[in-house]
Amino acid sequence: MKSYLKFLLFLCTVLLMSCGDDKKDKDVDRITIGEEGTLKEMDINEENNSATDTTATSEDQDVVEVMLTGNDQMKFNLSEIKVKEGQTVKLTLKHVGQLGKDVMGHNFVLLKKGTDLASFAQKAVEFKSNEYIPEDSDKVITHTDMIGGGQETSITFKAPPAGTYDFICSFPGHYIQMQGKFIVE
Ligand SMILES: [Cu+2]
C-alpha cells in the first residue's frame, strides 16, 4: 500500500510539474511573440514616420502652392496667406467670375511692409496702361498679371523675410474689399 501511495504521489507531482512547465512555456512563447510583434510594429511605424517627414521636408518647406481666387463680387477667397521664411511660393490667381478684365479685372499685388494701401491704390489708378501697377513705385514686392473672368495666372517668388505684409487687387476701387494679410513665419 505504501509503495502504491508513493507512486501515486510521484505521478501527481510529475503531472503537476509538467503542467506547470507547459504553462510557463506557453507564457514565455506568448511574451516573445508579443514582444516581436510590438517591435515589428514600432519599426514599421518609425519607417513610415521618417518617410513622411522626408516628404514633408522636400515639399512643404521648399515650395508652397497657394490658390487664390477672385470673383465678380469683388472678393478674394483668402483674407490671409501664411508661408514660411525661405519658401518658394507658387501663387495661382484664378478669376472664377465671368466679367471681363476691363470691368472686373483682378490681380494680386504683394506690398512692402508699412505701405499705405489707400495712397498706393490711388496712385495705381493712374497706371491703366501698366495694368494698374505704378511703374515708379518701390512698394511692390511682386505681382501677377491682371486677369478677367475665367482666366488664371501664376507667379513664383521667394517669400520675403518674416513679417506681415498686405496684398491687394490694384484694379480701381477693388483694394477696399480685395485685400488680405500675407504672413511669413
Ligand atoms: Cu480686383
Side-chain angles (χ1 to χ4, degrees):
M1 271 303 272
K2 268 188 183 177
S3 59
Y4 177 67
L5 271 173
K6 268 185 189 172
F7 180 64
L8 261 180
L9 262 171
F10 174 70
L11 258 181
C12 285
T13 314
V14 168
L15 274 171
L16 276 171
M17 275 173 73
S18 59
C19 280
D21 283 351
D22 273 359
K23 272 184 189 169
K24 268 181 200 167
D25 284 348
K26 277 177 192 167
D27 284 347
V28 168
D29 281 346
R30 259 188 236 123
I31 289 163
T32 313
I33 290 162
E35 275 175 359
E36 277 176 2
T38 314
L39 280 173
K40 273 179 196 164
E41 278 169 22
M42 279 172 70
D43 285 345
I44 289 162
N45 283 340
E46 271 172 25
E47 276 169 25
N48 284 348
N49 284 344
S50 57
T52 312
D53 285 347
T54 312
T55 317
T57 307
S58 57
E59 283 186 3
D60 294 347
Q61 288 183 8
D62 294 343
V63 180
V64 58
E65 291 194 25
V66 178
M67 174 58 86
L68 181 67
T69 66
N71 61 18
D72 285 345
Q73 285 71 50
M74 226 187 288
K75 290 266 172 69
F76 279 135
N77 65 325
L78 303 175
S79 58
E80 195 176 83
I81 297 169
K82 271 189 186 175
V83 303
K84 291 191 174 73
E85 198 169 26
Q87 274 184 326
T88 296
V89 184
K90 191 189 172 198
L91 184 138
T92 299
L93 173 66
K94 189 173 183 178
H95 194 316
V96 294
Q98 277 153 32
L99 298 173
K101 177 173 150 178
D102 52 338
V103 290
M104 188 53 73
H106 296 319
N107 65 2
F108 163 91
V109 184
L110 182 60
L111 297 166
K112 285 187 180 167
K113 260 191 237 174
T115 301
D116 184 83
L117 300 188
S119 54
F120 178 86
Q122 202 177 347
K123 191 169 189 184
V125 175
E126 298 165 26
F127 290 85
K128 188 181 178 184
S129 59
N130 198 42
E131 297 192 318
Y132 301 108
I133 301 295
E135 282 161 310
D136 57 348
S137 176
D138 59 352
K139 307 290 187 193
V140 178
I141 295 172
T142 187
H143 68 89
T144 66
D145 290 339
M146 186 73 71
I147 55 169
Q151 297 181 308
E152 73 173 65
T153 183
S154 293
I155 48 167
T156 301
F157 59 98
K158 185 140 186 170
T164 300
Y165 304 77
D166 290 297
F167 69 87
I168 63 164
C169 168
S170 68
F171 192 92
H174 285 200
Y175 86 96
I176 298 163
Q177 285 198 89
M178 301 186 79
Q179 60 173 270
K181 298 292 180 191
F182 188 90
I183 300 162
V184 184
E185 291 173 323

